[in-house]
Amino acid sequence: MKHWFLALAVGFGSLTPAAMAASKIHVLILDGESAAPYHNWAAETPVLKQELEETGLFDVEVLTIQKDGDFSQFHPAWSKYQAVVLNYDAPDERWSSEVKSSFEQYMKNGGGLVTIHAADNAFPDWVAFNEMTGIGGWRGRTEKAGPHWVYKDSKLVADDKPGRAGSHGLRLPFQLTVRDANHPITKGLPKQWMHQGDEMYANMRGPGKMTVLATAYSDPENHGTGFDEPMLMVSQFGKGRIFHSTLGHDVMAISSEDYVVTFQRGVEWVATGKVTQPVPASFPTANSVSYRTDLAAKDPHYSKGLNPMDGPPPMRPAPQPTPQK
């Protein structure tokens, strides 16, 4: 049977439900699909919800729409929310033109969008969505989607060489560098910090039109491009604000303290245009990783350490000599 469902998750304190709802920022996390099983949205979403709710600023609903669902009944009331978080990656045909148009209108009217990691892989031919995210990868994207954008000589530069969009190396820790220290999301963060082991996206292509908040060097020794690649970005679509984070391959990655902080601040900024949250003392430094063990323990592979796909490649067995008769 085809299905789709809405899961409501709101935490209440001492205030009445009505007062609580009126005082908090209303957020929708949308999940339910990814191009591959290694993007485990079902494991990530509860952690994302916890990260938002623990600030006391947000009430959060989760809308799960799986690819075999009845999309004839999928008509989200976007205007109920000050921010929509996409932990979601689907092909162009998944949403009807009416749903896409309604989301475009929501953003033009001043909505807020946050895209996480593989969400920027979604909807390769939806022009407005690619304008919102600025860059994306995979799902058949090539130079036709736009140039490969890199950060060079203190500015965003278009690399017009042809090629496929999207690449990453092994899931290792890497250093981020702030490129816009005055933006509310990055204001007060250290100039550089280390991020927990994650897929570092590179070779991302699109129309651009974004402001880069932070980059990371894509090391050729880890299958990288040799460029400083955009990691955290913001953009505008009509009156709407977008925060685009390429970080967050799995629960281990989103447990990194820098991820938690930039995600919380990014959602507040797209919803309100400002950030009121202080930078915690536990924020990582230029030389040390800092992550939340309480969140990392929720990863299904936590006890195994790194994702098995990031281990050393298997050795091809040596050919066996032909037995002599």
Side-chain angles (χ1 to χ4, degrees), residues 34 36-46 87 248-251 299-301:
S34 189
Y38 46 73
H39 287 143
N40 189 347
W41 52 264
E44 282 196 12
T45 290
N87 183 24
H249 172 71
D250 55 12
V251 173
D299 191 294
H301 302 290

Side-chain angles (χ1 to χ4, degrees), residues 141-172:
R141 287 180 173 87
T142 65
E143 66 276 5
K144 294 179 181 179
H148 168 204
W149 293 94
V150 299
Y151 204 83
K152 187 177 181 181
D153 299 327
S154 301
K155 61 183 178 181
L156 194 61
V157 176
D159 180 355
D160 292 317
K161 290 193 296 291
R164 292 184 295 178
S167 66
H168 63 78
L170 300 180
R171 194 171 59 104
L172 302 171

